[in-house]
Amino acid sequence: MKATKCVAMILAGGQGSRLGILTSKVAKPAVTFGGKYRIIDFALSNCVHSGISTIGVLTQYKPLELNTYIGNGSTWDLDRNDGGVFVLPPYQKEETGEWYKGTANAIYQNIEFVDQYNPEHVVILSGDHIYKMDYNKMMQYHEEHNAAATIAVIPVPWEEASRFGIMETDGEGVITRFAEKPKEPKSNLASMGVYVFKWSALKEYLIRDEKTPGSENDFGKNIIPAMLDDGQKLCAYGFEGYWKDVGTVQSLWEANMDLLSDPPVLDMYDADWRIFSRNPVKPPHYVADGASVTNSCITEGCNIYGDVKNCILSEGVTVGKGSVVEDSILFPGVTIGENAVVKKAIIGSDTTLGNAVVVGDKSVDSSEYESKYCSADISLIGGNISIGDNTKIGVNAMVTKSIEA
Amino acid sequence: MTDAMGIILTRNQDANMNELTQVRDISALPFAGRYRLIDFVLSNMVNSGIINVGIATHVNYSSLMDHVGSGKPWDLNRKNYGLFMLPPQVRGGAFGAAGDVDLLHNVLTYLRRSKQKYVVLTGANIVCNMTYTDIIRYHEEKGADITVVYNELEITDPQLKKCTTYDINSTGKVVDIHHNLSEPVSKNAGMDMYIIERTKLQALIEDAYANGSHSFINDILRASMAHLDIYAYKYEGFAGRIDSVVSYYDNNMKMLCPKVREELFAGKNPVYTKVKDQVPTKYLEGANVKNSLVADGCIIDGEVENSIIFRGVHIAKGAKVKNCIVMQNSVISERCDLENVVIDKECTLRMGKRLVGQPSYPFILPKRTLI
């Protein structure tokens, strides 16, 4: 059989419940990012630029929109004669059929898929991180060190280290201990959720893990510790650059705002490492006489008649005359009426805000909309709803249903 | 699906476009920030359910080929039919294509191999969003041999002098055809768009070619008026004719009108183009943009007014761009001051340059100019 050197498996089945209303209808990897991307575009584009063209995307939670988005993969040049991108939902087998129980189980259930390509290595990725990374360099490192597994790590501030999976290494970069969310971290090297495994080794541990009673079938909690216990060589691959987990409303908002930083912390303009996405079929955006746009990212199909400052606007957004939108992220097709004021908000796709609507005003009591998902004064308005004229919404609010004028 | 195929004839000879068409065929002319003229006709074809489209090109077609590629943006990369580039066939030396008949004679084999009943034969220099299905129905209802498409222009419109015009009787039948009249007698301006049965077109081309004719209008249309029923279909929507620098400039500027944009781009029939995966445009602190159309991938830190800005343009702090068309990847540096200028692709203006044209005579900066 012809061997493919490397197959990538992207874990895209999680709900991402901490994104609140934004993931009520779509899986987290399909959430809009940066005006014209979906979060999964980063992992897929990284794969393609790293020369990996056989990719499985493991889906489970609300996969329809993600499936449609990925399509035949041509967006990322992944419509290939040999390999390409494949959406892999759980499926019925001879005797049983079950949901993916954990990250490791998801790969376990697709051992046959990977075996079809007979790869030497498998790259395991998360579909919900924002970063640009050359996995090929990591694989070279993995091969040079003859590791059973290599885990990409990034230094995080010590005070935040207890939120991550933390690697302790010896002087040679070999991992000596792995601690998932340690209370007293002994290192600040956090796992990025990017793994390269020798496929033969991973397969063995996946099969063994499946037979272990009580296992959570999770890479971080089970597979990695089991390999370490057996004395397998696990290496840490240090990554330098921008990396952001966008698991919460606040981190999603921050990662979007990072695109506006000057100079940008994440260079999106590198022609050799473009992040591919499905491009809308829309004309260029229009900025009207009397409008004002500063420090913002705006994409095709938008019509701006008001003031936009520090914002990320997705395709087809309209901002009406006299309206002021600041520090906000507007998803595709959002329409804002006239004389509205929107501050520090994330507004879901195709939602309409009427005239003189106020969002993100600290003086407005919005306790009825208060949500555990929203913090740092960020307000979240769900997709496909309409907010009637003159409605006022405060901070840290999550609006999930239409509000009549 | 529509039982018709499309033939797009691209030709520069009638256009007065100066430097703009020296480097490219007119059909590959960039338009409205992210399109090329060919996008409109190709999108009209696929939006009409036509899946067999041939582009008969003449000269300078590398930009065009680069742009249309396999036809994928229009879903024309098909196993059955799809997009066919039909460049000139060179027989023993130089290609002597003198006119449409020669271009069409070149594509006879392609016509014969196709199976569709009708051919939509069209040029590529009119910006409009139309479907041909209604026109084909009209063609069938009238029992026409050829249906020509026209729209009405003001009798004083200077573009009328460059058009084929039709005298039409009360049933819609064409009773006379004029071409390039210095004093136009009819407002019915032909849109260089024809519906005809494929086998009939084949026969007409063969005859005309055998007679040594070159002109489709004179030698086929006008010559066959006596024995063929030619009907005219009136198109009522927006039609931007690009046949000169001024009309190119004016029609781009018309895209600033929300009504025109809505008609062209917001309806149920999208206008497809090659995608570039550019990042959204970034506005910096110094940006001051008024009444302008801006495509993706730009970085804007200066003043922009009444302008069309294509993909990947950089406008630095303190630069002023007024009534301009700035094409792809051009760079306007600090303190430049531009008015009524058409800046072709990949130009670079170093700091403090001042260029001023007139609305009736826009200044053209040719492709890859460095000032």
Side-chain angles (χ1 to χ4, degrees):
Chain A
M1 183 177 14
K2 187 182 162 192
T4 306
K5 187 169 178 200
C6 178
V7 169
M9 300 292 269
I10 301 179
L11 300 162
Q15 178 185 357
S17 58
R18 288 175 299 159
L19 289 178
I21 186 73
L22 296 178
T23 51
S24 69
K25 293 209 173 66
V26 297
K28 182 160 68 166
V31 168
T32 299
F33 181 83
K36 68 185 289 194
Y37 307 95
R38 307 287 187 123
I39 294 168
I40 200 170
D41 286 331
F42 289 83
L44 286 169
S45 302
N46 285 341
C47 280
V48 173
H49 295 309
S50 305
I52 302 171
S53 57
T54 304
I55 301 166
V57 179
L58 300 134
T59 62
Q60 175 154 290
Y61 172 81
K62 303 252 177 171
L64 285 183
E65 194 164 327
L66 186 58
N67 290 356
T68 315
Y69 186 70
I70 291 174
N72 68 351
S74 64
T75 303
W76 306 271
D77 270 350
L78 285 169
D79 49 337
R80 304 282 177 117
N81 289 333
D82 190 8
V85 63
F86 301 90
V87 175
L88 303 170
Y91 60 96
Q92 194 75 34
K93 296 151 189 97
E94 300 86 51
E95 287 167 8
T96 56
E98 56 187 355
W99 297 108
Y100 295 148
K101 291 179 288 183
T103 52
N105 177 257
I107 307 295
Y108 171 81
Q109 292 200 36
N110 287 290
I111 285 177
E112 280 180 47
F113 168 79
V114 180
D115 271 343
Q116 288 180 85
Y117 296 97
N118 193 21
E120 206 178 329
H121 305 289
V122 169
V123 179
I124 309 286
L125 304 167
S126 301
D128 48 11
H129 294 152
I130 305 296
Y131 64 122
K132 295 193 326 187
M133 180 174 179
D134 189 341
Y135 306 131
N136 197 34
K137 281 190 186 156
M138 178 174 171
M139 190 135 49
Q140 278 168 11
Y141 181 91
H142 170 77
E143 286 188 322
E144 278 163 19
H145 289 74
N146 194 28
T150 301
I151 302 169
V153 294
I154 187 164
V156 293
W158 279 94
E159 60 273 19
E160 289 178 27
S162 57
R163 286 173 40 217
F164 295 92
I166 294 295
M167 306 289 163
E168 289 169 34
T169 57
D170 66 8
E172 306 288 305
V174 174
I175 296 169
T176 53
R177 194 160 165 269
F178 170 78
E180 184 72 34
K181 297 186 181 140
K183 286 211 179 72
E184 288 175 15
K186 293 199 175 63
S187 148
N188 70 334
L189 294 177
S191 165
M192 294 164 60
V194 175
Y195 308 94
V196 180
F197 289 96
K198 266 188 192 152
W199 175 234
S200 55
L202 177 61
K203 199 162 129 182
E204 184 192 325
Y205 278 90
L206 287 173
I207 293 168
R208 204 199 295 175
D209 180 64
E210 192 61 22
K211 289 181 188 150
T212 308
S215 171
E216 290 179 54
N217 308 117
D218 183 87
F219 275 98
K221 288 178 188 145
N222 308 105
I223 302 288
I224 302 298
M227 291 179 86
L228 276 174
D229 286 348
D230 286 358
Q232 294 276 4
K233 188 176 181 189
L234 269 60
C235 288
Y237 173 77
F239 173 75
E240 282 171 18
Y242 182 86
W243 174 82
K244 188 117 184 160
D245 179 347
V246 286
T248 63
V249 171
Q250 192 179 337
S251 63
L252 180 69
W253 182 85
E254 286 168 358
N256 272 285
M257 289 300 143
D258 283 344
L259 296 174
L260 300 177
S261 60
D262 189 24
V265 285
L266 178 68
D267 178 15
M268 300 287 287
Y269 291 87
D270 181 356
D272 295 328
W273 207 277
R274 272 180 299 172
I275 304 303
F276 298 128
S277 66
R278 255 182 208 242
N279 284 227
V281 184
K282 300 248 165 86
H285 66 265
Y286 175 69
V287 180
D289 208 358
S292 156
V293 183
T294 49
N295 199 36
S296 295
C297 283
I298 312 231
T299 187
E300 280 149 357
C302 293
N303 285 293
I304 316 293
Y305 295 89
D307 287 5
V308 175
K309 197 175 169 188
N310 305 331
C311 287
I312 305 279
L313 268 53
S314 312
E315 45 145 325
V317 165
T318 301
V319 176
K321 210 170 166 179
S323 289
V324 178
V325 186
E326 283 179 14
D327 306 319
S328 295
I329 300 153
L330 310 188
F331 279 17
V334 166
T335 303
I336 294 179
E338 297 184 357
N339 304 313
V341 178
V342 176
K343 282 188 179 155
K344 225 177 176 184
I346 303 179
I347 303 182
S349 306
D350 298 315
T351 281
T352 303
L353 268 59
N355 296 332
V357 164
V358 173
V359 177
D361 183 341
K362 283 185 190 167
S363 66
V364 175
D365 173 40
S366 271
S367 42
E368 61 173 314
Y369 300 117
E370 209 166 285
S371 162
K372 62 178 175 181
Y373 302 120
C374 296
S375 57
D377 293 346
I378 299 165
S379 294
L380 195 55
I381 315 283
N384 290 296
I385 59 175
S386 75
I387 309 293
D389 292 353
N390 305 308
T391 304
K392 290 188 168 48
I393 296 163
V395 296
N396 295 327
M398 181 164 88
V399 180
T400 57
K401 290 194 182 78
S402 292
I403 302 174
E404 284 181 26
Chain B
M1 208 182 303
T2 312
D3 195 8
M5 62 185 292
I7 297 272
I8 301 169
L9 295 180
T10 76
R11 42 200 174 349
N12 284 353
Q13 61 257 41
D14 294 337
N16 177 20
M17 308 292 303
N18 300 346
E19 293 94 334
L20 293 174
T21 53
Q22 270 173 16
V23 290
R24 55 174 79 86
D25 187 89
I26 190 167
S27 61
L29 200 57
F31 187 78
R34 70 186 292 255
Y35 302 96
R36 306 252 190 175
L37 292 186
I38 189 94
D39 294 340
F40 294 89
V41 60
L42 275 179
S43 300
N44 291 343
M45 292 273 177
V46 298
N47 289 334
S48 308
I50 295 174
I51 60 157
N52 184 17
V53 181
I55 303 179
T57 62
H58 186 179
V59 285
N60 286 348
Y61 48 86
S62 65
S63 291
L64 178 62
M65 286 186 65
D66 177 36
H67 180 71
V68 299
S70 65
K72 185 167 189 330
W74 302 270
D75 270 346
L76 285 173
N77 53 336
R78 303 258 187 154
K79 290 197 173 176
N80 287 324
Y81 300 111
L83 185 75
F84 295 84
M85 280 303 274
L86 307 164
Q89 296 184 8
V90 182
R91 294 186 190 88
F95 172 69
D100 295 343
V101 172
D102 309 75
L103 272 173
L104 286 168
H105 187 257
N106 253 328
V107 307
L108 265 181
T109 315
Y110 165 64
L111 279 172
R112 288 195 194 106
R113 266 209 306 257
S114 300
K115 294 197 173 70
Q116 285 80 8
K117 186 172 183 193
Y118 297 110
V119 177
V120 176
L121 178 66
T122 171
N125 63 335
I126 295 186
V127 172
C128 62
N129 188 334
M130 72 193 300
T131 51
Y132 305 114
T133 30
D134 290 345
I135 310 172
I136 292 169
R137 198 174 308 128
Y138 174 91
H139 178 84
E140 286 175 339
E141 280 166 12
K142 292 287 180 190
D145 294 305
I146 300 174
T147 297
V148 300
V149 184
Y150 73 97
N151 70 340
E152 262 186 26
L153 296 182
E154 295 294 326
I155 198 81
T156 50
D157 192 323
Q159 285 199 308
L160 206 50
K161 290 182 187 171
K162 293 175 105 179
C163 290
T164 303
T165 55
Y166 302 108
D167 292 347
I168 302 163
N169 73 12
S170 57
T171 65
K173 197 171 173 187
V174 174
V175 292
D176 204 357
I177 299 173
H178 315 282
H179 195 50
N180 294 1
L181 285 187
S182 56
E183 290 296 330
V185 293
S186 162
K187 299 189 285 185
N188 305 325
M191 291 175 67
D192 198 15
M193 218 176 272
Y194 315 93
I195 311 285
I196 183 167
E197 259 183 53
R198 180 175 54 82
T199 48
K200 204 164 277 170
L201 178 63
Q202 285 165 208
L204 287 170
I205 296 167
E206 280 166 12
D207 290 350
Y209 190 76
N211 291 335
S213 309
H214 300 296
S215 160
F216 181 80
I217 308 281
N218 287 325
D219 303 325
I220 293 186
L221 268 193
R222 214 201 312 242
S224 53
M225 255 176 37
H227 60 277
L228 293 179
D229 286 338
I230 302 176
Y231 279 83
Y233 177 93
K234 184 173 172 183
Y235 176 68
E236 309 267 7
F238 174 85
R241 285 182 163 75
I242 315 285
D243 56 10
S244 65
V245 171
V246 171
S247 61
Y248 172 75
Y249 180 82
D250 288 348
N251 277 300
N252 264 292
M253 291 305 164
K254 279 181 189 163
M255 298 301 122
L256 296 175
C257 167
K259 269 202 180 129
V260 174
R261 252 189 353 265
E262 207 159 295
E263 185 189 328
L264 272 180
F265 302 111
K268 63 183 192 318
N269 295 316
V271 181
Y272 301 95
T273 186
K274 183 180 180 181
V275 302
K276 303 251 162 146
D277 287 277
Q278 295 261 21
V279 294
T281 279
K282 198 165 178 180
Y283 288 79
L284 304 180
E285 286 300 335
N288 183 2
V289 178
K290 309 267 176 241
N291 192 36
S292 295
L293 210 53
V294 186
D296 271 2
C298 300
I299 298 178
I300 297 187
D301 203 6
E303 287 179 35
V304 180
E305 194 181 343
N306 306 334
S307 293
I308 311 285
I309 311 294
F310 282 70
R311 293 187 273 204
V313 168
H314 290 208
I315 296 176
K317 211 179 184 83
K320 284 184 189 170
V321 175
K322 193 177 172 188
N323 305 335
C324 288
I325 298 169
V326 186
M327 291 190 210
Q328 206 176 305
N329 296 334
S330 284
V331 178
I332 316 290
S333 307
E334 285 85 353
R335 300 191 320 278
C336 282
D337 190 353
L338 312 175
E339 200 173 333
N340 303 317
V341 185
V342 178
I343 297 169
D344 207 322
K345 286 170 71 174
E346 291 159 26
C347 288
T348 301
L349 272 74
R350 296 265 164 81
M351 271 195 268
K353 299 293 175 291
R354 187 174 148 78
L355 295 174
V356 180
Q358 295 300 317
S360 57
Y361 198 92
F363 186 83
I364 298 177
L365 207 57
K367 196 173 170 179
R368 291 200 196 94
T369 305
L370 175 93
I371 301 189

